[in-house]
Amino acid sequence: MTRKLDLNDIQGNVTRAYGRYSFPFARYYFFHFPDPASGRAFVDKVRTVVTTAARWPKKDQKPEDPSMVQPKPDCTTNIALSFTGLLALGLPVRTLQAFPDEFIEGMKARAFILGDRDPGETERAAEKNKWDAHWDPIWQNNRTSSAPAEGDVHMLVTLNAQLAPDTTDKPHPALAERAEWLLEAARKAGVRHLGGIGAKGDEDYQSASAVFENVGGVNLPTRKEHFGFTDGIGDPVFEGQLSAEDEAKAVVGRGKLMGEGWQPLATGEFVLGHPDESQELPPTAPPYEFMRNGTFVAFRKLHENVGTFDRVLKEEAKRYANVANVGDVEAEETLRAKMCGRWSDGVPLAKVPTYQDWRAFQKQHKFDPDTPDLEAYKNHDVYVRSGEARDFRYADDMPGYKCPSGAHIRRVNTRDYLDPLNKTGKDPETGKPHENPDATSALNKRRRILRRGLPYGPSNNEAKDDSTEQGVIMLIMCASLFRQFEFVQQQWIQYGLDFHQGNNTCPLLGRHDRHKRHTIPENPESGKPPYVMSKLDTFVECRGGDYFFVPSMTALRMMAMGIVDPT
């Protein structure tokens, strides 16, 4: 029996990735509290419009519990606070001291382990070289010292909007109305709205939206990011997040493999105050009610160097085409897939490993180039939402012949690859690589993260190069930033030891200023040699961000009233 949560007490972006619930637009606003009274007044005002995790009614469906259902809004609103924000609100010292070290330090201080600055430089050299000079001004000015500073970001407010009525690519007017209301509320409370967004620092808020494509003459939102990959398919499912009916479908390929098929992850991996996968309650600061039903989020602005990515891909594809004796199109598409672990439309290599298989799969599912655009768009959306796009494993492909061990999606969600009983080499009885049909995701289930956020930048129809403001606004939610987000970012993205890749980093997200290789194994039976990409460059760069606490509705009320009592 799945866990029942108080959805009216949990913020809505914890249980929902809004972009996949028909909210293709977002704005992110940042604020600074000059004093505790103004900060509390602002929190008190904004909390009244916060979107909770209460479920939205479905057409012709009677809800299990009507008290847990709210109308679907045109624009959502959610709040998160940095450690300096909690400090500025005047929370008790005993409460503040009990927060995790990484949250207290903030993301900027963790740049070394996150790979956001050159790991080969000492801290002194990095500071001398102004390692964060490419960050947006708002983040350069954030946490400039251990003492409170005027540029510190205290509060993040996220707004997500649906499409305007009768349009396919315009935000609902409720987004602009809520933004205007928010800034007026800040002004009346005496809270300072922080600008400094963008490379020039001339934006007042961070905007984001789905990448749009012209489909049959109409601009429609897609699931793609700016490199052209279909994204956001395998987000985790945890206990109590969905109704029992929805959970049974959604958990396939998104939960944990534990011998009885796919099961939802423990709630405590993502929501504080609930048991996690170790059957323990995650550590929280007192009082207990303050952090229960809250979580942490890492806000990261990830810039995509599309020009460099396209150039490197074409250079490598030219060489790969000669080595593998394939055409230019097949070479480029294959390398893209071998870097990511999925073909560009989201079809996983683990299930559809070759270019010919992929083209046949597209045709079978009717989202191939010969299918009319709009029909292909709809069929592709159905496929990406299905369990078929998520239900696969790696224990049957330990050498990485289908999906390279160092590929992006294999690093960030290892599934059953790290089961201790998995074996490398060949089975002497079959002469084929060992398989372990009973492998579980026991060593992966404590490293999962919720991915929220949207791409930012121009639509896919516009020319883009490295200087174009484009990328992904990542909001990474989890109960422990250290155990979950930072582990994945440092050990699995910026190193390759768990994947027998040495110092080779993730081909898409890793730093490549020193290590530029990505190995693509080939089954010896194919007669083809393995291929080593050797010209990788750093395709994704962090442009700033910080760690925030996402309070429950109860905690927001406690902070607004100044009654956080740790005794």
Side-chain angles (χ1 to χ4, degrees), residues 409-421:
I409 68 167
R410 195 156 171 164
R411 288 170 177 263
V412 296
N413 180 7
T414 60
R415 296 176 182 249
D416 57 351
Y417 174 65
L418 298 178
D419 187 296
L421 298 182

Side-chain angles (χ1 to χ4, degrees), residues 17 72 87 93 161 181 183 240 289 312 335 338 352 424 498 550:
K72 186 175 183 178
L87 186 66
V93 171
W181 176 90
L183 296 179
E289 296 80 5
V312 169
L335 288 185
K338 294 291 185 179
V352 185
T424 57
D498 281 349
V550 184

Side-chain angles (χ1 to χ4, degrees), residues 303-558:
H303 175 82
E304 292 182 276
N305 292 315
V306 175
T308 296
F309 180 78
D310 289 344
R311 175 182 57 77
V312 169
L313 190 61
K314 288 188 181 302
E315 291 176 2
E316 289 279 6
K318 187 175 181 180
R319 188 162 65 98
Y320 180 76
N322 290 329
V323 172
N325 192 27
V326 299
D328 293 344
V329 174
E330 178 177 344
E332 187 167 328
E333 292 288 355
T334 300
L335 288 185
R336 290 172 70 91
K338 294 291 185 179
M339 294 171 75
C340 177
R342 292 183 184 271
W343 298 94
S344 55
D345 55 8
V347 176
L349 281 175
K351 294 179 73 172
V352 185
T354 71
Y355 180 79
Q356 288 71 27
D357 291 342
W358 175 50
R359 289 303 191 193
F361 188 88
Q362 285 183 318
K363 196 172 189 64
Q364 178 189 353
H365 287 68
K366 297 183 178 178
F367 50 84
D368 60 303
D370 294 332
T371 302
D373 288 351
L374 188 57
E375 182 183 350
Y377 175 88
K378 293 178 179 176
N379 292 337
H380 179 244
D381 187 63
V382 170
Y383 167 72
V384 171
R385 291 177 183 273
S386 71
E388 189 178 5
R390 310 183 301 260
D391 188 10
F392 58 90
R393 54 200 309 171
Y394 299 125
D396 59 351
D397 180 34
M398 291 299 289
Y401 295 154
K402 292 187 286 187
C403 178
S405 301
H408 170 67
I409 68 167
R410 195 156 171 164
R411 288 170 177 263
V412 296
N413 180 7
T414 60
R415 296 176 182 249
D416 57 351
Y417 174 65
L418 298 178
D419 187 296
L421 298 182
N422 288 344
K423 295 180 180 178
T424 57
K426 289 185 178 180
D427 185 332
E429 294 185 2
T430 65
K432 296 181 178 179
H434 287 283
E435 293 187 9
N436 181 9
D438 299 323
T440 72
S441 50
L443 293 184
N444 182 45
K445 63 183 183 179
R446 303 219 68 201
R447 310 295 185 187
R448 302 300 305 280
I449 53 176
L450 299 173
R451 295 179 57 198
R452 304 295 184 247
L454 285 167
Y456 70 94
S459 78
N460 208 35
N461 302 315
E462 300 175 35
K464 296 175 285 191
D465 58 30
D466 288 358
S467 63
T468 309
E469 275 283 294
Q470 66 207 350
V472 177
I473 300 301
M474 287 287 291
L475 283 83
I476 301 155
M477 289 185 165
C478 49
S480 171
L481 291 165
F482 175 75
R483 172 171 58 82
Q484 293 165 275
F485 163 62
E486 290 191 344
F487 181 92
V488 173
Q489 179 69 22
Q490 182 186 34
Q491 297 296 325
W492 287 353
I493 290 179
Q494 303 295 356
Y495 292 109
L497 296 182
D498 281 349
F499 312 99
H500 307 287
Q501 300 295 306
N503 284 329
N504 289 351
T505 65
C506 173
L508 292 180
L509 295 187
R511 292 184 66 101
H512 297 295
D513 39 5
R514 286 182 174 79
H515 305 289
K516 300 177 179 295
R517 295 176 300 176
H518 172 54
T519 302
I520 300 174
E522 282 284 356
N523 189 336
E525 294 180 2
S526 71
K528 297 180 179 178
Y531 183 81
V532 180
M533 300 181 73
S534 58
K535 299 182 178 181
L536 299 185
D537 207 329
T538 300
F539 304 124
V540 177
E541 298 175 325
C542 183
R543 293 290 168 87
D546 205 351
Y547 293 159
F548 295 87
F549 173 55
V550 184
S552 67
M553 300 303 294
T554 298
L556 287 172
R557 186 165 57 251
M558 293 169 75

Side-chain angles (χ1 to χ4, degrees), residues 221-240:
T222 72
R223 286 172 170 263
K224 292 185 177 179
E225 46 69 63
H226 292 284
F227 291 147
F229 293 104
T230 300
D231 199 12
I233 301 175
D235 217 29
V237 168
F238 59 87
E239 293 176 336

